[in-house]
Amino acid sequence: PARPILTGERTALNCLGRLSGIATVTRDIVARIAGHRARVVCTRKTTPGLRLLEKYAVRTGGGSNHRFGLDDAVLIKDNHIVAAGGDIGEAIRRVRLHVGHMVKVEVEADTLEQLEIALKENIDAALLDNMDIPTLREAVKMAGAAKNKVLTEASGGITPETAAAIASTGVDLMSIGWLTHSAPALDVSLDFSFRL
């Protein structure tokens, strides 16, 4: 019957177009970094109510998911460090006192100096934010030399044009927020055909 099809048509097409757009841009970035060990991951920057679907679309495009929510892992960012008196080490120690032993802790570092301090603490991952290629390469080298295996994640300014160069630094992950918050929707339509 035409009525239920036409009632749900626009919602279904909008959803399909949006998710297909996310999967398509993810696939394009994944293809551009083929041959490197880096994985493309999305962030929590998703449409309210559509997080599960948008993260599924990223996986469909060959990417991986970062955290689904704030309770999946701890990400210590600049404001958290300021709240701990400007001391990265203190921020990490405070977090470790209040989370379970299974919760991973990641620290955002904007500079090599910040990364060096964070690597002396008990962290699982380092988010290397808005670093240029030479700095990023050095940061990956520093993390590789740390006493604990620390996952490296490049973030900020990752575009289709910069993806391959960023992946070539040896980072483990490349987190890209625009995959879910700014991917262009694929143009899809539903057309009836008439048959006698």
Side-chain angles (χ1 to χ4, degrees), residues 18 45 50 65 67 69 78 84 89-90 95 100 120 125 127 129 131 137 142 153 159 164 169 189:
R18 172 133 184 82
K45 297 173 185 168
L50 296 180
N65 297 149
R67 299 181 300 168
D78 51 359
E90 179 63 19
V95 162
K120 292 176 184 173
L127 187 143
D129 194 40
M131 293 184 175
R137 190 168 277 115
M142 288 169 62
E153 176 183 350
T159 66
T169 65
S189 62

Side-chain angles (χ1 to χ4, degrees), residues 95-111:
V95 162
R96 284 289 182 200
L97 285 174
H98 297 285
V99 298
H101 68 285
M102 297 296 287
V103 177
K104 294 192 180 291
V105 174
E106 181 173 22
V107 175
E108 179 182 85
D110 300 327
T111 66

